[in-house]
Amino acid sequence: MSWLPTLPILDWGRRYDRATLVSDGVAALIVTIMLIPQSLAYALLAGLPAEVGLYASVAPLLLYALLGTSSALAVGPVAVASLMTATAIGGLGSSFAVGTPAYWQAAITLAFVSGLMLLAMGLFKLGFLANFLSHSVISGFISASALIIAASQMKTLMGVSASGHDLLELLTALVAQAPHTHLLTLGIGVAAMVWLFWTRRQLKPLLRRWGLGPLLADVVAKAGPVAAIAVTTGLTWALDWQQSGVKVVGSIPQGLPPLTLPSLDMALWRELAMPALLIGVVGFVESVSVGQTLAAKRRERITPDQELVALGASNVGAALTGGFPVTGGFSRSVVNFDAGARTPAAGVYTAVGILLASLLLTPALYFLPQATLAATIVVAVLSLVDLGILARTWAYSKADFAAVAATLLATLATGVETGLMVGVGVSLALHLWRSSRPHIAEVGLVPGTEHYRNVQRHAVRTSERLVSLRVDESLYFANARVLEDRINDAVAQHPAMVHLVLQCSAINDIDASALESLEAIAHRLKEAGIALSLSEVKGPVMDRLQTTHFLKDQVHSVHLTHHQAVMALAPETLG
Amino acid sequence: MSWLPTLPILDWGRRYDRATLVSDGVAALIVTIMLIPQSLAYALLAGLPAEVGLYASVAPLLLYALLGTSSALAVGPVAVASLMTATAIGGLGSSFAVGTPAYWQAAITLAFVSGLMLLAMGLFKLGFLANFLSHSVISGFISASALIIAASQMKTLMGVSASGHDLLELLTALVAQAPHTHLLTLGIGVAAMVWLFWTRRQLKPLLRRWGLGPLLADVVAKAGPVAAIAVTTGLTWALDWQQSGVKVVGSIPQGLPPLTLPSLDMALWRELAMPALLIGVVGFVESVSVGQTLAAKRRERITPDQELVALGASNVGAALTGGFPVTGGFSRSVVNFDAGARTPAAGVYTAVGILLASLLLTPALYFLPQATLAATIVVAVLSLVDLGILARTWAYSKADFAAVAATLLATLATGVETGLMVGVGVSLALHLWRSSRPHIAEVGLVPGTEHYRNVQRHAVRTSERLVSLRVDESLYFANARVLEDRINDAVAQHPAMVHLVLQCSAINDIDASALESLEAIAHRLKEAGIALSLSEVKGPVMDRLQTTHFLKDQVHSVHLTHHQAVMALAPETLG
């Protein structure tokens, strides 16, 4: 693989034919119908004018089609990144109030900085950094974010004002505002939600029973949100509900996405750096995980470092065309895949569809109630909540449970940024804690084999003169002292010991601090009349030890296999 | 070991006899002579009145004698903790200016908070946390701190004012002040330094050649700093150098250490929490390492968690008697040990000596030039600088070198607190980076044995039908994806493969994220017509896998030894 980013389009473009065009076109139609309300809704969630959602759905789709390696990933505004955008800009202070040009400019800058970071990670092959966001942390984070988003939409559904970036703030504000609930708005919102849940679960089977073909049934069912929008918009216009206090989307400028530039204020960049990184990395991890799931179904393969480049370019593209942070969406990608998208060209056709909508459709959305969009968001995000992960990790591993629970609670209690950092911190701390307490087992010979296992778990042969310890972890600064303690204990327990053999099959590395500990151990063993030997030292570890005083002067002998060590030093073990 | 702290004095006190009394007494005399100038000098380094150094040398010695497990550790003010104290209080703002009662009160509070933290770590057996401060980081940190301290003393030696908490600030200020150097002060300082270096290196051998007994030669040589103080004080008094502009220590209150209380201002505690933790942990790591080195020479054993209790109590004791943060000093402990201290009672006698000095000696120190104390500090700290660690770690491990170099440079460039945190951060990041890229080797049978080694390093037998991979690291979120990639590569390289066996001898843990990866791997292998088996799964890992869908439904077979797996699945490997 060359250092330069590749252009996957050169590969699939060559094989493009008419059947692929039809598949991609149908998928694009379905995704476009689904994306229009979602884009508007997520822009409002991010605190931006509704049309910004459409702007953010054009250039990113085109750039991802050019650079991405997944044939089905659909890029655009998503719920969690929109919430994180609102939190990031909300934290900048009063000169960035919602609705001001400064707020929009900050969102553009956030997308730009986030895009540059992803591009840099891709070009320098730093995609592995995303591995530190464990599956447990991501699960807890997404569920908590979805709950916060759902709570944040309640104010729009109730027709009141309330704000907050964590669950407690939001719920407190909502309870205080409950007496001022606007009942007509609430009615529209609840009706839309019920309709959306019903179309999502029941409409498609019903249409099939009524005799529609599977493809048509799918298109009609996916149009459920569009129908909700059309009906509530029509009623609001016809019955003049705006006069009764129902908040509507209002006038949306008609036209192409504008060309925009990010702010070049370095103080702003510095403030947005951490949110930009978090939004970028969370979006990348989600995209790659959706992309890999879909790719595996077709035995295709996606390249994480190339995905970083594609998502980075998509965000830079969003920033230059008036948009805000984007990433690969879960539900739209699955819809795209199920609807038959075969190549990234489906994304190009979707972009054209959105472009036509922003050119032609926006005047028709003047009377669209904001409560309808809030209902769209609530239904979309509730499918992201997976509290079952708590039970599953509890059953498998308490440490993973702790990471999930800490992320979930911290995100609910303190908002997305702190929550995510707490999650990463807790999962790393738990990993370090475990590796700082290495498992060290005394082993003996399994009769009839050349194999050595834990004396506490197997019936094995041992000798009083030779003690075998197997160290189940690489030795580094945080666990070297534990080895010293364990060996001191072994010396105290085995008064007849004259040989100590460390079975090093699980030691992949010995750092300089651990080497000092080994030297101290060897020195003390020598004074107690015990010779230290090593067995099954791995190649890379041996290469490094060759240069040391420890191996030359302090180790009695080194053996290829543990059995050879025992046969040479204490043959009586064989019986 | 019980949960309650133990009282080591109950053990050694019972065996105390006359010979031990003499040994301890002589050691105490030598250490007292050494400690008086050091204590005064380190108090000035911490920005405190000189007598505070004496106060901090009494109660801590008594409490450590009661609670500590090392027979030779001498506790009191030390150079690095004094520098860290000055940095911590210097960062509190203008209401804590040097020389004010608020500054002293903050130092007392710092010792108190640091002591409470150490006590808590000891009582909750959290001593293992200190293991995360690797030897490489500590080495780089101590060397850099010593250079900063030496630079900070230059202003006193030159008789000018200059301040700063990192090397660049200090050197810039010194260069600016160089034209105002007070030549008489500089002359006193340089003469004292030359004398001190000479007595440290050459005086004792010379005295032995002159026929003095080894003990007397030692006492006289250790009195070098006292002689420097006596001579420069006498000259300053006789020649009225104070009138010529030589700064002197001035009047030191005569009397017992005062009883003091820490501030109970919680805002101050919060600001001092991080410095208190760093001072406590650095002091603990240094103390334990000195204590263990000395204990090993006598085949004694020190208990790290009990040391935390002892050092914590010493710092609380310092805080209640007008002192500032203390810990076990390297040079004074070595001197104590070499001079024959056999039990912690030597510390009690030293405390009595310091107490007598603070009662009787302080008026005689009025004309002591500050430059003499600065010379004492420079000579003491330069012995802590060990830049050879850079060459040694470079030869052994580039990662350790990076940790040392990062700590050294960050400490020199940004001061002690940031430097230490950078060091810990870099060493943890390097560890995580390495463990996120596990070594995975394809292995084959070593002919004539039942042992399997890396095909790239050994002449081994393999089969086209069965591929054996040995994973050299526990599987967790940060490295699970690497395993997926490596297995995909192996599948591509071996078209005839029908069995893949993972040799799990080095896998000590599989977390929930890694389990998901294994499930994905097994799923993909199955679709490619390859059966996944495991060998040499460790007991604790097997216990956990037993509960999973992965082991029940996706794994073809599990074998006790890798050889058994190969014999069962591909016996042709044996030839």
Coordinates of all heavy atoms in Angstrom, one line a residue, chain A residues 508 538 540, chain B residues 438-444 453-457 467-472 483 486 501-503 562:
Chain A
N508 N 6.2 -11.2 26.3 CA 6.4 -10.7 25.0 C 7.4 -9.5 25.0 O 7.9 -9.2 23.9 CB 5.1 -10.3 24.4 CG 5.2 -10.0 22.9 OD1 5.9 -10.8 22.2 ND2 4.6 -8.9 22.5
K538 N 11.0 -15.9 24.1 CA 10.7 -15.6 22.7 C 11.8 -14.9 22.0 O 12.6 -14.2 22.6 CB 9.4 -14.8 22.7 CG 8.3 -15.6 23.1 CD 7.0 -14.9 22.9 CE 5.9 -15.8 23.3 NZ 4.7 -15.1 23.8
P540 N 12.1 -12.1 20.0 CA 12.4 -10.7 20.1 C 12.9 -10.3 21.5 O 13.8 -9.5 21.7 CB 11.0 -10.1 19.9 CG 10.2 -11.1 19.2 CD 10.7 -12.4 19.6
Chain B
P438 N 0.0 -6.5 19.1 CA 0.5 -7.8 19.6 C 1.4 -8.5 18.6 O 1.2 -8.4 17.4 CB -0.7 -8.6 19.9 CG -1.8 -8.0 19.0 CD -1.4 -6.6 18.9
H439 N 2.4 -9.2 19.1 CA 3.2 -10.0 18.2 C 2.4 -11.3 18.0 O 1.9 -11.9 18.9 CB 4.5 -10.4 18.9 CG 5.5 -11.1 18.1 ND1 5.9 -12.4 18.5 CD2 6.1 -10.8 17.0 CE1 6.7 -12.8 17.6 NE2 6.9 -11.9 16.6
I440 N 2.2 -11.7 16.7 CA 1.4 -12.9 16.4 C 2.3 -13.7 15.4 O 2.7 -13.1 14.4 CB 0.1 -12.5 15.7 CG1 -0.8 -11.7 16.7 CG2 -0.6 -13.8 15.3 CD1 -2.1 -11.2 16.1
A441 N 2.7 -14.9 15.8 CA 3.7 -15.6 15.0 C 3.0 -16.9 14.5 O 2.2 -17.6 15.2 CB 4.9 -16.0 15.9
E442 N 3.3 -17.3 13.2 CA 2.9 -18.6 12.7 C 4.0 -19.6 13.3 O 5.2 -19.3 13.2 CB 2.9 -18.6 11.2 CG 2.3 -19.9 10.7 CD 2.3 -19.9 9.2 OE1 2.3 -18.9 8.5 OE2 2.3 -21.0 8.6
V443 N 3.5 -20.7 13.9 CA 4.4 -21.6 14.5 C 4.4 -23.0 13.8 O 3.4 -23.3 13.2 CB 4.2 -21.7 16.0 CG1 4.4 -20.4 16.7 CG2 2.8 -22.2 16.3
G444 N 5.4 -23.7 14.0 CA 5.5 -25.1 13.5 C 6.2 -26.0 14.5 O 6.9 -25.5 15.4
R453 N 7.5 -23.6 17.5 CA 8.2 -22.3 17.5 C 7.9 -21.5 16.2 O 7.4 -22.1 15.2 CB 9.7 -22.4 17.7 CG 10.1 -23.1 19.0 CD 9.6 -22.4 20.2 NE 10.2 -21.1 20.4 CZ 11.1 -20.8 21.4 NH1 11.5 -21.7 22.2 NH2 11.5 -19.5 21.5
N454 N 8.2 -20.2 16.2 CA 8.0 -19.3 15.1 C 8.7 -19.9 13.8 O 9.8 -20.2 13.8 CB 8.7 -18.0 15.4 CG 8.3 -16.9 14.5 OD1 7.9 -17.1 13.4 ND2 8.4 -15.6 15.0
V455 N 7.9 -20.0 12.7 CA 8.4 -20.6 11.5 C 9.5 -19.7 10.9 O 10.3 -20.2 10.1 CB 7.3 -20.7 10.4 CG1 6.3 -21.8 10.9 CG2 6.6 -19.4 10.1
Q456 N 9.5 -18.4 11.2 CA 10.5 -17.5 10.6 C 11.9 -17.6 11.4 O 12.9 -17.1 10.9 CB 10.0 -16.1 10.6 CG 8.9 -15.9 9.6 CD 8.3 -14.5 9.7 OE1 8.7 -13.7 10.5 NE2 7.3 -14.3 8.9
R457 N 11.9 -18.2 12.6 CA 13.1 -18.2 13.4 C 13.7 -19.6 13.5 O 14.8 -19.7 13.9 CB 12.9 -17.6 14.8 CG 12.7 -16.1 14.8 CD 12.4 -15.7 16.2 NE 12.4 -14.2 16.2 CZ 13.4 -13.5 16.6 NH1 14.5 -14.1 17.0 NH2 13.3 -12.2 16.6
V467 N -3.0 -24.4 9.9 CA -2.1 -23.2 10.2 C -2.2 -22.9 11.7 O -3.3 -22.9 12.3 CB -2.5 -22.0 9.4 CG1 -1.7 -20.8 9.8 CG2 -2.3 -22.2 7.9
S468 N -1.0 -22.8 12.3 CA -1.0 -22.6 13.8 C -0.5 -21.1 14.0 O 0.5 -20.7 13.5 CB 0.1 -23.5 14.5 OG -0.3 -24.8 14.2
L469 N -1.3 -20.3 14.7 CA -0.9 -19.0 15.1 C -0.8 -18.9 16.6 O -1.7 -19.3 17.3 CB -1.9 -18.0 14.6 CG -2.0 -17.7 13.1 CD1 -3.1 -16.7 12.8 CD2 -0.7 -17.4 12.4
R470 N 0.4 -18.3 17.0 CA 0.5 -18.1 18.5 C 0.4 -16.6 18.7 O 1.0 -15.8 18.1 CB 1.9 -18.5 18.9 CG 2.1 -18.5 20.4 CD 3.6 -18.7 20.8 NE 4.3 -17.6 20.4 CZ 5.6 -17.6 20.0 NH1 6.2 -18.8 19.9 NH2 6.2 -16.5 19.6
V471 N -0.6 -16.2 19.6 CA -0.8 -14.8 19.9 C -0.1 -14.5 21.2 O -0.3 -15.1 22.2 CB -2.3 -14.6 20.1 CG1 -2.6 -13.1 20.4 CG2 -3.1 -15.1 18.9
D472 N 0.8 -13.5 21.1 CA 1.7 -13.2 22.2 C 1.2 -12.0 23.1 O 2.1 -11.2 23.5 CB 3.1 -12.9 21.7 CG 3.8 -14.1 21.2 OD1 3.3 -15.2 21.4 OD2 4.9 -14.0 20.6
L483 N -5.6 -8.7 15.5 CA -5.8 -10.1 15.3 C -6.7 -10.4 14.1 O -6.3 -11.3 13.3 CB -6.4 -10.7 16.6 CG -6.6 -12.2 16.5 CD1 -5.3 -13.0 16.4 CD2 -7.4 -12.7 17.8
R486 N -4.6 -10.0 11.1 CA -3.5 -11.0 10.9 C -4.2 -12.3 10.4 O -3.6 -13.0 9.6 CB -2.9 -11.1 12.3 CG -1.7 -12.1 12.3 CD -0.5 -11.5 11.5 NE 0.6 -12.4 11.5 CZ 0.7 -13.5 10.7 NH1 -0.3 -13.7 9.9 NH2 1.8 -14.3 10.8
V501 N -5.6 -23.1 14.1 CA -5.5 -23.4 15.5 C -4.8 -22.2 16.2 O -3.6 -21.8 15.8 CB -4.7 -24.7 15.9 CG1 -4.8 -24.9 17.4 CG2 -5.3 -25.8 15.1
L502 N -5.4 -21.5 17.1 CA -4.8 -20.4 17.9 C -4.2 -21.0 19.1 O -4.9 -21.6 20.0 CB -5.8 -19.4 18.3 CG -6.4 -18.5 17.1 CD1 -7.4 -17.5 17.7 CD2 -5.4 -17.8 16.3
Q503 N -2.8 -20.9 19.2 CA -2.1 -21.3 20.4 C -2.3 -20.2 21.4 O -1.7 -19.1 21.3 CB -0.7 -21.6 20.1 CG 0.1 -22.2 21.3 CD 1.5 -22.5 21.0 OE1 2.0 -22.1 19.9 NE2 2.2 -23.1 21.9
H562 N -0.8 -27.8 22.3 CA -0.8 -27.5 20.8 C -0.5 -28.8 20.0 O -1.0 -29.0 19.0 CB 0.1 -26.4 20.5 CG -0.2 -25.8 19.2 ND1 -1.2 -25.0 18.9 CD2 0.5 -26.0 18.0 CE1 -1.2 -24.7 17.6 NE2 -0.2 -25.2 17.0

